[in-house]
Each structure stands twice: as C-alpha cells, then as structure tokens.
Amino acid sequence: MASLLRARNAFRGSMASLLRGFSNVPENTVYSGPMAQTPNKRVTLRHLREKHKSSQPITMVTAYDYPAAVHLDTAAVDICLVGDSAAMVVHGHDTTLPITLDEMLVHCRAVARGAKTPLLVGDLPFGTYESDPNQAVDTAVRILKEGGMDAIKLEGGSPSRIVAAKAIVEAGIAVMGHVGLTPQAISVLGGFRPQGRNVASAVKVVETALALQEAGCFSVVLECVPPPIAAAATAALQIPTIGIGAGPFCSGQVLVYHDLLGMLQHPHHAKVTPKFCKQYARVGDVINKALLEYKEDVTNGSFPDVHHSPYKISKTDADAFSSELQKLGLDKAASAASEAVQKMDTA
C-alpha cells in the first residue's frame, strides 16, 4: 500500500512538472487577431435596442485619436464615431471630402486602442463606396478588420446608397445610416445646407430614413433638419435616430468632440462652428493660456527648475566626468558641467 502511494505521488509530481512547462495564458491572447470583446462591458447593438425600447436617450460623440477615445470611455458614452469630420477638425480641410480610407484607418486604430466600452462606428469616406456594392463591402470590411471598428456609417439615401447599405448588412456588418444634411454631398447640395425645410424635402428625409431601415441599418443619423421632421422620422422608424442639429425628439444625440469641448478657439473656427453645437467647455482657451505660460517660463529661464530636473549624478562621478572631458581637450564642456553641478546644488 505504501509503495502504491509513493508511486501515485511520484506520478502527480511528474505531471505537475510537465504542466508547468505549458503556458497558462488564455488561448485567445496567444494567437494573433482581435481580442474577444467582453459582452458585459462593450456596448452592443442589443444594448442600443434595449435603450431605445425603454426610451433611454443614446449618447454618441466623435473621436479621432487615442486620448479622445480614452475620455469617451471614461465618460461611458454609448457610441464612439470615428467620423470623416476628422478631415476638417484634425486635418484642417474645409470639407470632409479629402480624407482617404488609409487616413481613416489610422484614426480608427488609434480610437480602438483607447475606447474599450463604447460601440465603435467608423465612417466610410467619400469615394470609397459609391461605385458599386462590392466596393462598399470591401471598404466596410477594411474598416472592421484593419480599423478595429464594430460597425460602419455611410451617408445619403440615393438608390445606390440603399443598395450599398443592404449589401454591407448582408455581408455581416452593422450599418448606421445618415440623412438630412450629408456633408459628402455638398457639391450637389450647394454647401452645408439644412434639409427638410419644405414639404418635398421633409418627406424625402422620412422616406430615406425608412429605406435605410428596410436595408437593415441599426440606426440613422438625422443632421440639420427641423425638430418636427426629426420627430416624424423617429416616430416612423423602429430603429433609433441620432440627431445632430435636429432638435430634442431623436432617440439620441451626437456632437463633434472638438466642437462640444470648445477645442478650437480662433476666429476662423468661430465662424464655422455649427449653430446647433453647445460648448460644454472652452478647452481651447485653457490650451492657449498654458502654451503662453510655457513659452514665457522658457523665455525667462524659470523652466525647467530643480523640481523638474529629477535626474542626478553624484559629485564623484561629475568630477570624474569633467576630468575625462579635459583629457579629450573639451575644457569648455568640462567647465560647463562643473558649473551646472554647482548651480543645481545651490538651487
């Protein structure tokens, strides 16, 4: 019996030793590819449907980089939109048209690294989905696979856009529609002009939203339309509407990150800041003040002071360093090092 116990213990020991040779890291972190999303943390379409069903407003804000994404994550915003508005507020263009798919993918990846809980939606930039449904699907696939997004957004409600939206949905990708003022269509609209301000235009907004719902979109953005038109569209649809300049009757609201924070406080941007945007801060003023103070501190020599010069060298090593410099014929450098030691000690 004793020999049997000894044999069993020896077997257990050998197995334990063998198991220690294997990794205990979860399999999904060993192989390459996207990390599994945690359903109880990441906002999903199911969460949005539940909020919509219970009439809880949905929040959406744009983000274009890692720091902004972290802020949205901290604030528990429902949806993070990596919008083609990056062309204007990040790249400095006058319209959204110039931004490319490759540029959008850079923004998407940065945001995906920072926003761990919001639903991530990436805009399809102008010129990347209009030709045919295959092009639209290919672009949407890249936004998800290379950009790390959960869904895509496309603008417009022409028959070709409806077909594109349907094709993308059928490819297994969630789609958010966008009607009303569609910035990618400013060539046709004649500029950034509100829509739905007459009967024909108002009916078109509602009909287009319904067509996008029929195509399989999970939500529709309503931009720059009168509140009664947005209210009608919201009531007609079974999916949530996200308003921007569309009044208080939508299922949720979206604003551009830089606009709501007052990031760009200069005369040009003051002229083009949307009338519908509420500034919840004047972050641009804070930034400008900080930069001016930094410039002044550097100019007058008060920065960096001893408190912001944390890395030390012992006096013995400093003296030896000066001696080595002198041996190299660098007397001026040796004197500068010695004087710096004395000044730091005095400070």
mmCIF file of all heavy atoms in Angstrom, residues 118-160:
data_model
loop_
_atom_site.group_PDB
_atom_site.id
_atom_site.type_symbol
_atom_site.label_atom_id
_atom_site.label_comp_id
_atom_site.label_asym_id
_atom_site.label_seq_id
_atom_site.Cartn_x
_atom_site.Cartn_y
_atom_site.Cartn_z
ATOM 1 N N PRO A 118 -17.447 51.858 -25.495
ATOM 2 C CA PRO A 118 -18.454 52.309 -26.463
ATOM 3 C C PRO A 118 -18.516 51.402 -27.690
ATOM 4 O O PRO A 118 -17.538 50.726 -28.030
ATOM 5 C CB PRO A 118 -17.967 53.711 -26.860
ATOM 6 C CG PRO A 118 -16.985 54.119 -25.819
ATOM 7 C CD PRO A 118 -16.359 52.853 -25.337
ATOM 8 N N LEU A 119 -19.669 51.399 -28.346
ATOM 9 C CA LEU A 119 -19.771 50.798 -29.670
ATOM 10 C C LEU A 119 -18.963 51.675 -30.621
ATOM 11 O O LEU A 119 -19.126 52.901 -30.635
ATOM 12 C CB LEU A 119 -21.233 50.745 -30.122
ATOM 13 C CG LEU A 119 -21.465 50.096 -31.485
ATOM 14 C CD1 LEU A 119 -21.414 48.573 -31.375
ATOM 15 C CD2 LEU A 119 -22.803 50.534 -32.070
ATOM 16 N N LEU A 120 -18.089 51.071 -31.408
ATOM 17 C CA LEU A 120 -17.204 51.825 -32.293
ATOM 18 C C LEU A 120 -17.756 51.816 -33.710
ATOM 19 O O LEU A 120 -17.945 50.750 -34.307
ATOM 20 C CB LEU A 120 -15.799 51.229 -32.276
ATOM 21 C CG LEU A 120 -15.117 51.151 -30.910
ATOM 22 C CD1 LEU A 120 -13.744 50.503 -31.033
ATOM 23 C CD2 LEU A 120 -15.002 52.535 -30.282
ATOM 24 N N VAL A 121 -17.994 53.011 -34.254
ATOM 25 C CA VAL A 121 -18.541 53.149 -35.596
ATOM 26 C C VAL A 121 -17.571 53.980 -36.429
ATOM 27 O O VAL A 121 -17.150 55.061 -36.012
ATOM 28 C CB VAL A 121 -19.920 53.832 -35.570
ATOM 29 C CG1 VAL A 121 -20.471 53.984 -36.991
ATOM 30 C CG2 VAL A 121 -20.896 53.037 -34.707
ATOM 31 N N GLY A 122 -17.216 53.477 -37.606
ATOM 32 C CA GLY A 122 -16.303 54.184 -38.492
ATOM 33 C C GLY A 122 -17.006 54.664 -39.750
ATOM 34 O O GLY A 122 -17.750 53.908 -40.380
ATOM 35 N N ASP A 123 -16.768 55.920 -40.119
ATOM 36 C CA ASP A 123 -17.345 56.476 -41.342
ATOM 37 C C ASP A 123 -16.674 55.885 -42.580
ATOM 38 O O ASP A 123 -15.446 55.697 -42.601
ATOM 39 C CB ASP A 123 -17.142 57.987 -41.370
ATOM 40 C CG ASP A 123 -18.404 58.760 -41.025
ATOM 41 O OD1 ASP A 123 -19.506 58.204 -41.193
ATOM 42 O OD2 ASP A 123 -18.279 59.919 -40.598
ATOM 43 N N LEU A 124 -17.469 55.630 -43.618
ATOM 44 C CA LEU A 124 -16.894 55.318 -44.924
ATOM 45 C C LEU A 124 -16.601 56.638 -45.618
ATOM 46 O O LEU A 124 -17.521 57.417 -45.887
ATOM 47 C CB LEU A 124 -17.871 54.493 -45.773
ATOM 48 C CG LEU A 124 -18.314 53.129 -45.239
ATOM 49 C CD1 LEU A 124 -19.063 52.362 -46.332
ATOM 50 C CD2 LEU A 124 -17.138 52.311 -44.731
ATOM 51 N N PRO A 125 -15.336 56.931 -45.915
ATOM 52 C CA PRO A 125 -15.018 58.230 -46.507
ATOM 53 C C PRO A 125 -15.475 58.337 -47.953
ATOM 54 O O PRO A 125 -15.657 57.337 -48.645
ATOM 55 C CB PRO A 125 -13.492 58.308 -46.395
ATOM 56 C CG PRO A 125 -13.037 56.894 -46.322
ATOM 57 C CD PRO A 125 -14.130 56.131 -45.621
ATOM 58 N N PHE A 126 -15.641 59.570 -48.395
ATOM 59 C CA PHE A 126 -16.083 59.856 -49.755
ATOM 60 C C PHE A 126 -15.156 59.189 -50.779
ATOM 61 O O PHE A 126 -13.938 59.227 -50.645
ATOM 62 C CB PHE A 126 -16.093 61.371 -49.975
ATOM 63 C CG PHE A 126 -16.483 61.804 -51.354
ATOM 64 C CD1 PHE A 126 -17.805 61.710 -51.768
ATOM 65 C CD2 PHE A 126 -15.542 62.310 -52.228
ATOM 66 C CE1 PHE A 126 -18.178 62.112 -53.043
ATOM 67 C CE2 PHE A 126 -15.902 62.713 -53.494
ATOM 68 C CZ PHE A 126 -17.226 62.614 -53.917
ATOM 69 N N GLY A 127 -15.775 58.570 -51.763
ATOM 70 C CA GLY A 127 -15.013 57.946 -52.842
ATOM 71 C C GLY A 127 -14.633 56.503 -52.604
ATOM 72 O O GLY A 127 -13.910 55.917 -53.412
ATOM 73 N N THR A 128 -15.128 55.923 -51.503
ATOM 74 C CA THR A 128 -14.708 54.549 -51.184
ATOM 75 C C THR A 128 -15.853 53.550 -51.199
ATOM 76 O O THR A 128 -15.639 52.381 -50.884
ATOM 77 C CB THR A 128 -14.042 54.495 -49.793
ATOM 78 O OG1 THR A 128 -15.025 54.811 -48.786
ATOM 79 C CG2 THR A 128 -12.876 55.465 -49.702
ATOM 80 N N TYR A 129 -17.070 54.015 -51.578
ATOM 81 C CA TYR A 129 -18.194 53.076 -51.549
ATOM 82 C C TYR A 129 -19.283 53.392 -52.577
ATOM 83 O O TYR A 129 -20.281 52.689 -52.665
ATOM 84 C CB TYR A 129 -18.824 53.032 -50.158
ATOM 85 C CG TYR A 129 -19.450 54.334 -49.680
ATOM 86 C CD1 TYR A 129 -20.828 54.536 -49.736
ATOM 87 C CD2 TYR A 129 -18.662 55.350 -49.144
ATOM 88 C CE1 TYR A 129 -21.407 55.715 -49.281
ATOM 89 C CE2 TYR A 129 -19.225 56.514 -48.687
ATOM 90 C CZ TYR A 129 -20.595 56.707 -48.757
ATOM 91 O OH TYR A 129 -21.156 57.869 -48.306
ATOM 92 N N GLU A 130 -19.075 54.424 -53.392
ATOM 93 C CA GLU A 130 -20.125 54.869 -54.294
ATOM 94 C C GLU A 130 -20.197 54.096 -55.606
ATOM 95 O O GLU A 130 -21.248 54.065 -56.258
ATOM 96 C CB GLU A 130 -19.945 56.367 -54.607
ATOM 97 C CG GLU A 130 -20.052 57.285 -53.409
ATOM 98 C CD GLU A 130 -18.735 57.470 -52.676
ATOM 99 O OE1 GLU A 130 -17.789 56.698 -52.948
ATOM 100 O OE2 GLU A 130 -18.636 58.377 -51.843
ATOM 101 N N SER A 131 -19.087 53.479 -56.015
ATOM 102 C CA SER A 131 -19.022 52.883 -57.359
ATOM 103 C C SER A 131 -19.984 51.712 -57.523
ATOM 104 O O SER A 131 -20.752 51.651 -58.487
ATOM 105 C CB SER A 131 -17.596 52.431 -57.675
ATOM 106 O OG SER A 131 -16.724 53.536 -57.708
ATOM 107 N N ASP A 132 -19.947 50.760 -56.594
ATOM 108 C CA ASP A 132 -20.819 49.596 -56.662
ATOM 109 C C ASP A 132 -20.833 48.916 -55.291
ATOM 110 O O ASP A 132 -19.995 49.213 -54.427
ATOM 111 C CB ASP A 132 -20.372 48.616 -57.753
ATOM 112 C CG ASP A 132 -18.954 48.118 -57.557
ATOM 113 O OD1 ASP A 132 -18.685 47.489 -56.512
ATOM 114 O OD2 ASP A 132 -18.103 48.345 -58.437
ATOM 115 N N PRO A 133 -21.777 48.008 -55.079
ATOM 116 C CA PRO A 133 -21.882 47.345 -53.772
ATOM 117 C C PRO A 133 -20.622 46.595 -53.368
ATOM 118 O O PRO A 133 -20.295 46.531 -52.172
ATOM 119 C CB PRO A 133 -23.058 46.384 -53.960
ATOM 120 C CG PRO A 133 -23.882 47.005 -55.040
ATOM 121 C CD PRO A 133 -22.895 47.650 -55.966
ATOM 122 N N ASN A 134 -19.907 46.039 -54.335
ATOM 123 C CA ASN A 134 -18.678 45.305 -54.000
ATOM 124 C C ASN A 134 -17.635 46.232 -53.392
ATOM 125 O O ASN A 134 -16.959 45.885 -52.421
ATOM 126 C CB ASN A 134 -18.109 44.619 -55.245
ATOM 127 C CG ASN A 134 -18.967 43.458 -55.718
ATOM 128 O OD1 ASN A 134 -19.651 42.820 -54.913
ATOM 129 N ND2 ASN A 134 -18.947 43.184 -57.006
ATOM 130 N N GLN A 135 -17.503 47.414 -53.980
ATOM 131 C CA GLN A 135 -16.560 48.389 -53.422
ATOM 132 C C GLN A 135 -16.986 48.772 -51.999
ATOM 133 O O GLN A 135 -16.145 48.884 -51.103
ATOM 134 C CB GLN A 135 -16.502 49.643 -54.298
ATOM 135 C CG GLN A 135 -15.489 50.678 -53.794
ATOM 136 C CD GLN A 135 -15.745 52.085 -54.322
ATOM 137 O OE1 GLN A 135 -16.896 52.464 -54.541
ATOM 138 N NE2 GLN A 135 -14.682 52.857 -54.514
ATOM 139 N N ALA A 136 -18.280 48.965 -51.801
ATOM 140 C CA ALA A 136 -18.783 49.342 -50.479
ATOM 141 C C ALA A 136 -18.480 48.269 -49.445
ATOM 142 O O ALA A 136 -18.025 48.557 -48.334
ATOM 143 C CB ALA A 136 -20.292 49.604 -50.557
ATOM 144 N N VAL A 137 -18.721 47.010 -49.810
ATOM 145 C CA VAL A 137 -18.452 45.899 -48.882
ATOM 146 C C VAL A 137 -16.964 45.798 -48.588
ATOM 147 O O VAL A 137 -16.558 45.626 -47.425
ATOM 148 C CB VAL A 137 -18.986 44.571 -49.457
ATOM 149 C CG1 VAL A 137 -18.518 43.391 -48.599
ATOM 150 C CG2 VAL A 137 -20.508 44.593 -49.538
ATOM 151 N N ASP A 138 -16.135 45.916 -49.623
ATOM 152 C CA ASP A 138 -14.685 45.830 -49.419
ATOM 153 C C ASP A 138 -14.199 46.911 -48.456
ATOM 154 O O ASP A 138 -13.373 46.650 -47.569
ATOM 155 C CB ASP A 138 -13.952 45.964 -50.764
ATOM 156 C CG ASP A 138 -14.128 44.741 -51.663
ATOM 157 O OD1 ASP A 138 -14.552 43.689 -51.137
ATOM 158 O OD2 ASP A 138 -13.853 44.858 -52.869
ATOM 159 N N THR A 139 -14.706 48.128 -48.622
ATOM 160 C CA THR A 139 -14.299 49.222 -47.738
ATOM 161 C C THR A 139 -14.778 48.972 -46.312
ATOM 162 O O THR A 139 -14.028 49.178 -45.350
ATOM 163 C CB THR A 139 -14.859 50.563 -48.253
ATOM 164 O OG1 THR A 139 -14.391 50.799 -49.577
ATOM 165 C CG2 THR A 139 -14.421 51.706 -47.358
ATOM 166 N N ALA A 140 -16.021 48.525 -46.176
ATOM 167 C CA ALA A 140 -16.562 48.249 -44.841
ATOM 168 C C ALA A 140 -15.774 47.149 -44.142
ATOM 169 O O ALA A 140 -15.508 47.236 -42.935
ATOM 170 C CB ALA A 140 -18.036 47.858 -44.953
ATOM 171 N N VAL A 141 -15.382 46.132 -44.884
ATOM 172 C CA VAL A 141 -14.583 45.039 -44.310
ATOM 173 C C VAL A 141 -13.259 45.579 -43.782
ATOM 174 O O VAL A 141 -12.808 45.206 -42.691
ATOM 175 C CB VAL A 141 -14.347 43.932 -45.361
ATOM 176 C CG1 VAL A 141 -13.261 42.967 -44.891
ATOM 177 C CG2 VAL A 141 -15.636 43.168 -45.642
ATOM 178 N N ARG A 142 -12.625 46.473 -44.526
ATOM 179 C CA ARG A 142 -11.350 47.038 -44.072
ATOM 180 C C ARG A 142 -11.523 47.868 -42.803
ATOM 181 O O ARG A 142 -10.660 47.846 -41.913
ATOM 182 C CB ARG A 142 -10.727 47.897 -45.181
ATOM 183 C CG ARG A 142 -10.222 47.109 -46.371
ATOM 184 C CD ARG A 142 -9.368 47.985 -47.280
ATOM 185 N NE ARG A 142 -8.137 48.403 -46.605
ATOM 186 C CZ ARG A 142 -7.288 49.314 -47.114
ATOM 187 N NH1 ARG A 142 -7.569 49.897 -48.272
ATOM 188 N NH2 ARG A 142 -6.195 49.624 -46.460
ATOM 189 N N ILE A 143 -12.656 48.612 -42.724
ATOM 190 C CA ILE A 143 -12.908 49.422 -41.531
ATOM 191 C C ILE A 143 -12.984 48.536 -40.286
ATOM 192 O O ILE A 143 -12.487 48.886 -39.214
ATOM 193 C CB ILE A 143 -14.219 50.235 -41.693
ATOM 194 C CG1 ILE A 143 -14.053 51.328 -42.763
ATOM 195 C CG2 ILE A 143 -14.646 50.848 -40.366
ATOM 196 C CD1 ILE A 143 -13.181 52.490 -42.367
ATOM 197 N N LEU A 144 -13.586 47.340 -40.439
ATOM 198 C CA LEU A 144 -13.687 46.422 -39.302
ATOM 199 C C LEU A 144 -12.386 45.667 -39.065
ATOM 200 O O LEU A 144 -11.876 45.619 -37.937
ATOM 201 C CB LEU A 144 -14.839 45.435 -39.511
ATOM 202 C CG LEU A 144 -16.167 45.820 -38.830
ATOM 203 C CD1 LEU A 144 -16.745 47.088 -39.467
ATOM 204 C CD2 LEU A 144 -17.176 44.687 -38.909
ATOM 205 N N LYS A 145 -11.823 45.072 -40.114
ATOM 206 C CA LYS A 145 -10.643 44.214 -39.943
ATOM 207 C C LYS A 145 -9.388 45.005 -39.633
ATOM 208 O O LYS A 145 -8.592 44.623 -38.767
ATOM 209 C CB LYS A 145 -10.429 43.366 -41.199
ATOM 210 C CG LYS A 145 -11.476 42.280 -41.421
ATOM 211 C CD LYS A 145 -11.093 41.349 -42.545
ATOM 212 C CE LYS A 145 -9.909 40.471 -42.163
ATOM 213 N NZ LYS A 145 -9.648 39.429 -43.186
ATOM 214 N N GLU A 146 -9.173 46.103 -40.346
ATOM 215 C CA GLU A 146 -7.946 46.882 -40.165
ATOM 216 C C GLU A 146 -8.124 48.029 -39.178
ATOM 217 O O GLU A 146 -7.160 48.474 -38.554
ATOM 218 C CB GLU A 146 -7.469 47.420 -41.509
ATOM 219 C CG GLU A 146 -7.133 46.350 -42.539
ATOM 220 C CD GLU A 146 -6.722 46.944 -43.868
ATOM 221 O OE1 GLU A 146 -6.013 47.979 -43.878
ATOM 222 O OE2 GLU A 146 -7.129 46.395 -44.913
ATOM 223 N N GLY A 147 -9.350 48.521 -39.064
ATOM 224 C CA GLY A 147 -9.595 49.664 -38.186
ATOM 225 C C GLY A 147 -10.068 49.295 -36.797
ATOM 226 O O GLY A 147 -10.042 50.126 -35.895
ATOM 227 N N GLY A 148 -10.535 48.040 -36.620
ATOM 228 C CA GLY A 148 -10.985 47.610 -35.296
ATOM 229 C C GLY A 148 -12.341 48.146 -34.899
ATOM 230 O O GLY A 148 -12.692 48.153 -33.712
ATOM 231 N N MET A 149 -13.151 48.574 -35.886
ATOM 232 C CA MET A 149 -14.478 49.097 -35.590
ATOM 233 C C MET A 149 -15.494 47.972 -35.422
ATOM 234 O O MET A 149 -15.266 46.836 -35.832
ATOM 235 C CB MET A 149 -14.938 50.044 -36.700
ATOM 236 C CG MET A 149 -14.072 51.281 -36.900
ATOM 237 S SD MET A 149 -14.205 52.500 -35.553
ATOM 238 C CE MET A 149 -12.727 52.115 -34.589
ATOM 239 N N ASP A 150 -16.632 48.315 -34.813
ATOM 240 C CA ASP A 150 -17.735 47.366 -34.649
ATOM 241 C C ASP A 150 -18.778 47.510 -35.744
ATOM 242 O O ASP A 150 -19.549 46.586 -36.003
ATOM 243 C CB ASP A 150 -18.430 47.580 -33.298
ATOM 244 C CG ASP A 150 -17.482 47.429 -32.130
ATOM 245 O OD1 ASP A 150 -16.729 46.442 -32.109
ATOM 246 O OD2 ASP A 150 -17.490 48.299 -31.239
ATOM 247 N N ALA A 151 -18.846 48.687 -36.345
ATOM 248 C CA ALA A 151 -19.865 48.983 -37.347
ATOM 249 C C ALA A 151 -19.367 50.116 -38.236
ATOM 250 O O ALA A 151 -18.342 50.740 -37.951
ATOM 251 C CB ALA A 151 -21.179 49.377 -36.667
ATOM 252 N N ILE A 152 -20.114 50.374 -39.319
ATOM 253 C CA ILE A 152 -19.745 51.478 -40.204
ATOM 254 C C ILE A 152 -20.929 52.423 -40.349
ATOM 255 O O ILE A 152 -22.067 52.070 -40.054
ATOM 256 C CB ILE A 152 -19.274 50.984 -41.595
ATOM 257 C CG1 ILE A 152 -20.414 50.283 -42.356
ATOM 258 C CG2 ILE A 152 -18.078 50.064 -41.459
ATOM 259 C CD1 ILE A 152 -21.210 51.166 -43.294
ATOM 260 N N LYS A 153 -20.638 53.640 -40.803
ATOM 261 C CA LYS A 153 -21.678 54.607 -41.135
ATOM 262 C C LYS A 153 -21.468 55.075 -42.564
ATOM 263 O O LYS A 153 -20.332 55.311 -42.982
ATOM 264 C CB LYS A 153 -21.661 55.806 -40.185
ATOM 265 C CG LYS A 153 -22.770 56.834 -40.473
ATOM 266 C CD LYS A 153 -22.833 57.910 -39.408
ATOM 267 C CE LYS A 153 -21.755 58.954 -39.559
ATOM 268 N NZ LYS A 153 -21.895 59.758 -40.819
ATOM 269 N N LEU A 154 -22.575 55.179 -43.302
ATOM 270 C CA LEU A 154 -22.488 55.741 -44.649
ATOM 271 C C LEU A 154 -23.546 56.810 -44.820
ATOM 272 O O LEU A 154 -24.596 56.792 -44.180
ATOM 273 C CB LEU A 154 -22.599 54.657 -45.733
ATOM 274 C CG LEU A 154 -23.801 53.726 -45.802
ATOM 275 C CD1 LEU A 154 -25.045 54.426 -46.333
ATOM 276 C CD2 LEU A 154 -23.461 52.535 -46.694
ATOM 277 N N GLU A 155 -23.258 57.770 -45.687
ATOM 278 C CA GLU A 155 -24.138 58.918 -45.884
ATOM 279 C C GLU A 155 -25.052 58.725 -47.087
ATOM 280 O O GLU A 155 -24.705 58.061 -48.058
ATOM 281 C CB GLU A 155 -23.305 60.189 -46.100
ATOM 282 C CG GLU A 155 -22.587 60.684 -44.870
ATOM 283 C CD GLU A 155 -21.930 62.038 -45.097
ATOM 284 O OE1 GLU A 155 -22.211 62.680 -46.138
ATOM 285 O OE2 GLU A 155 -21.124 62.441 -44.250
ATOM 286 N N GLY A 156 -26.215 59.394 -47.011
ATOM 287 C CA GLY A 156 -27.080 59.506 -48.168
ATOM 288 C C GLY A 156 -28.149 58.445 -48.261
ATOM 289 O O GLY A 156 -28.101 57.423 -47.579
ATOM 290 N N GLY A 157 -29.108 58.718 -49.146
ATOM 291 C CA GLY A 157 -30.216 57.791 -49.309
ATOM 292 C C GLY A 157 -30.618 57.577 -50.749
ATOM 293 O O GLY A 157 -31.755 57.180 -51.026
ATOM 294 N N SER A 158 -29.705 57.841 -51.684
ATOM 295 C CA SER A 158 -29.991 57.554 -53.082
ATOM 296 C C SER A 158 -30.128 56.045 -53.254
ATOM 297 O O SER A 158 -29.659 55.271 -52.411
ATOM 298 C CB SER A 158 -28.869 58.083 -53.975
ATOM 299 O OG SER A 158 -27.668 57.388 -53.708
ATOM 300 N N PRO A 159 -30.781 55.598 -54.348
ATOM 301 C CA PRO A 159 -30.936 54.151 -54.550
ATOM 302 C C PRO A 159 -29.627 53.384 -54.465
ATOM 303 O O PRO A 159 -29.572 52.292 -53.877
ATOM 304 C CB PRO A 159 -31.549 54.073 -55.954
ATOM 305 C CG PRO A 159 -32.327 55.347 -56.081
ATOM 306 C CD PRO A 159 -31.508 56.381 -55.366
ATOM 307 N N SER A 160 -28.542 53.965 -54.994
ATOM 308 C CA SER A 160 -27.254 53.263 -54.948
ATOM 309 C C SER A 160 -26.739 53.144 -53.523
ATOM 310 O O SER A 160 -26.116 52.136 -53.153
ATOM 311 C CB SER A 160 -26.222 53.984 -55.820
ATOM 312 O OG SER A 160 -25.972 55.292 -55.323
#
